[in-house]
Amino acid sequence: MTSCPHAMPIDFMVSDLDGETARLRAAGAISRIELLGVPAWTVTDHTIARQLLTDPRLVKDINAWGLWTSGVVTRQWPLIGMIDAGTSMFTADGAEHRRLRIKTTQALTPRRLEALRPTIERLTKELLDDLDEAGRDGAVVDLKQVFAYPLPMQVVSELMGVPRSDQAMLLAWYKAFFSMLTPQDERLRVIDELDVYFTEMVRRKTAEPGDDLTSALILADEGGEPLTEEEVVGNLKALVAAGHETTVSLIVNATRALLSRPEQLALLRSGDTEWKQAIEETLRYDGPVTHLLMRFATEDITVGDTVIDKGEGVVISYRAVGRDPQIHGDDADDFDITRPTAARNISFGYGPHICPGAALARLEAAIGLPALFDRFPGLNLAAPLEEIGNLPVLTQNDVAALPVRLS
């Protein structure tokens, strides 16, 4: 199949995510879309998403994609770097996926995460000091740029053993990688630069291991053969992308939602509702990922009255899934931190490929958000909601800036 005449194009609808989400849900539980001219299926139903995310007939291997093997999709497709991303736990399936993932779970243990708490608290305080300085005398400051953007990169860099001097460079590379406005030749160059950077880093850590995630992945030897250099690089490249992008969006989207709904913020200030509930409702209502690319059918798959043909691609539209009224009620389009079903969100995925960094993202938000609102009780938005636009990114739910005043 090379065309999709009845598909819903979502190429440039990031300026109206609520409208896009509503249109996707109105199109059905599973429907046709176009991603920058490439046809695929998308899933907006919570139950069907869980079903397909655990279906072994849907795989991450790009070589199962008919449009790729036929040459219709090439390296010039702007989203190819998110699918053809080298060997890692993010692109493998079955036993190979388990072999690659167990190394990360050995390294990213609850003990290691809890040991990061003092570091996250220290980095949070330092960045809030920077925010205080930037927002003096009523100045408008971009909360994303000064606080939400650097915090996750500094945390994941501390975890991985990345020098602080390299963090700005990595942020710039990933920003160019995700943006739809980046020319494809430049994006491919960025992909090459990331490969070179992490390969050199892995080689340094192999020669001189430290107390960091990179060294732990290199040295992990339980559950089979040690990871190859390519596998360590692939895991790290994806982990740092997911490890900072998702947390940036989580912090920004929670802040935006609470500042525009003072009655919800009052529940947190009074202690009537816990921050954990606000974080889970943010993940459900306005989560970091809009569309997760992509899985491919290794045989025909029937879902209700729909047949996903062998070789076709499937996208999980997580933002639409989070608004499923069958799970979250008729008010699923409302932000409500007292919602009893908030914790049922699957914003970090479901099944074997559930995001390994979900606990870290939640920990950073659980530290960063209360600290932000405690430090600046008069924090308020410095622009109307309709002027806070999203970045031109199809997969991440990320604003360009979040202008605020501290009092």
Side-chain angles (χ1 to χ4, degrees):
M1 180 189 62
T2 59
S3 64
C4 194
H6 303 296
M8 173 182 166
I10 60 172
D11 298 0
F12 296 102
M13 295 183 63
V14 293
S15 61
D16 181 20
L17 279 183
D18 284 341
E20 175 188 293
T21 300
R23 287 182 62 189
L24 284 170
R25 291 203 50 78
I30 181 167
S31 57
R32 304 296 278 161
I33 58 171
E34 283 189 2
L35 294 167
L36 300 177
V38 171
W41 292 98
T42 193
V43 179
T44 63
D45 179 277
H46 179 102
T47 302
I48 293 175
R50 283 170 50 127
Q51 171 190 333
L52 291 177
L53 286 168
T54 56
D55 192 322
R57 297 171 296 176
L58 277 176
V59 301
K60 291 293 197 79
D61 183 1
I62 192 173
N63 294 305
W65 191 16
L67 294 177
W68 173 256
T69 57
S70 67
V72 173
V73 173
T74 70
R75 294 286 294 172
Q76 289 304 309
W77 187 49
L79 301 176
I80 196 63
M82 299 181 193
I83 300 172
D84 185 24
T87 303
S88 75
M89 64 180 175
F90 297 92
T91 58
D93 300 285
E96 182 67 0
H97 170 258
R98 289 190 293 274
R99 183 184 74 83
L100 293 168
R101 187 181 177 95
I102 194 173
K103 308 300 182 180
T104 302
T105 57
Q106 288 169 5
L108 204 58
T109 61
R111 180 187 62 81
R112 184 181 288 273
L113 288 181
E114 190 56 32
L116 268 177
R117 180 181 291 273
T119 297
I120 299 172
E121 292 172 343
R122 172 178 56 81
L123 294 172
T124 296
K125 182 182 182 304
E126 291 174 359
L127 290 171
L128 290 178
D129 288 344
D130 293 343
L131 187 65
D132 194 10
E133 181 66 27
R136 287 191 184 282
D137 300 321
V140 174
V141 59
D142 181 0
L143 182 78
K144 176 185 173 182
Q145 187 65 33
V146 179
F147 178 65
Y149 202 37
L151 177 61
M153 178 57 79
Q154 290 185 15
V155 171
V156 79
S157 295
E158 188 91 12
L159 180 68
M160 291 168 50
V162 174
R164 179 167 288 202
S165 58
D166 292 345
Q167 292 172 19
M169 176 181 65
L170 286 172
L171 283 169
W173 279 345
Y174 278 109
K175 182 177 181 180
F177 172 78
F178 283 113
S179 175
M180 289 190 298
L181 300 183
T182 302
Q184 185 61 2
D185 288 346
E186 181 180 342
R187 182 180 288 103
L188 293 174
R189 177 183 58 77
V190 166
I191 292 171
D192 289 341
E193 288 174 335
L194 285 166
D195 284 336
V196 170
Y197 177 84
F198 284 115
T199 298
E200 292 177 349
M201 178 176 165
V202 168
R203 289 174 180 173
R204 289 197 307 271
K205 296 293 183 180
T206 300
E208 297 183 19
D211 184 22
D212 51 63
L213 176 59
T214 305
S215 300
L217 285 173
I218 293 167
L219 297 173
D221 58 3
E222 297 178 23
E225 293 294 321
L227 298 184
T228 66
E229 179 180 274
E230 179 188 5
E231 290 165 347
V232 175
V233 169
N235 275 1
L236 289 177
K237 191 168 57 172
L239 279 168
V240 71
H244 82 276
E245 283 287 338
T246 54
T247 311
V248 172
S249 299
L250 175 54
I251 292 172
V252 167
N253 293 347
T255 302
R256 175 175 57 176
L258 291 168
L259 290 181
S260 59
R261 296 168 178 83
E263 75 287 353
Q264 299 276 301
L265 181 57
L267 293 173
L268 293 166
R269 293 196 190 283
S270 67
D272 291 338
T273 303
E274 296 181 354
W275 274 100
K276 178 181 178 180
Q277 189 75 5
I279 290 167
E280 294 306 316
E281 177 65 353
T282 302
L283 289 170
R284 179 204 71 83
Y285 171 81
D286 202 15
V289 176
T290 48
H291 311 286
L292 188 66
L293 310 185
M294 188 183 299
R295 295 167 190 252
F296 311 105
T298 56
E299 58 183 80
D300 293 354
I301 301 173
T302 300
V303 183
D305 297 330
T306 299
V307 177
I308 303 169
D309 291 337
K310 178 181 179 180
E312 290 188 321
V314 177
V315 174
I316 306 298
S317 289
Y318 278 103
R319 196 171 192 275
V321 167
R323 306 288 184 94
D324 187 344
Q326 295 184 64
I327 301 298
H328 302 293
D330 292 338
D331 64 345
D333 285 327
D334 297 335
F335 180 83
D336 179 5
I337 63 174
T338 68
R339 186 182 304 278
T341 62
R344 295 179 63 185
N345 76 82
I346 58 170
S347 294
F348 285 115
Y350 184 77
H353 280 279
I354 191 170
C355 177
L360 177 59
R362 286 183 166 103
L363 178 61
E364 290 178 61
I367 293 172
L369 285 167
L372 170 68
F373 282 91
D374 287 347
R375 176 77 174 267
F376 305 110
L379 188 70
N380 62 92
L381 293 175
L385 281 176
E386 59 271 18
E387 293 182 9
I388 301 174
N390 274 61
L391 286 172
V393 178
L394 275 177
T395 52
Q396 270 66 46
N397 178 13
D398 193 4
V399 300
L402 188 66
V404 299
R405 288 188 176 87
L406 304 184
S407 61

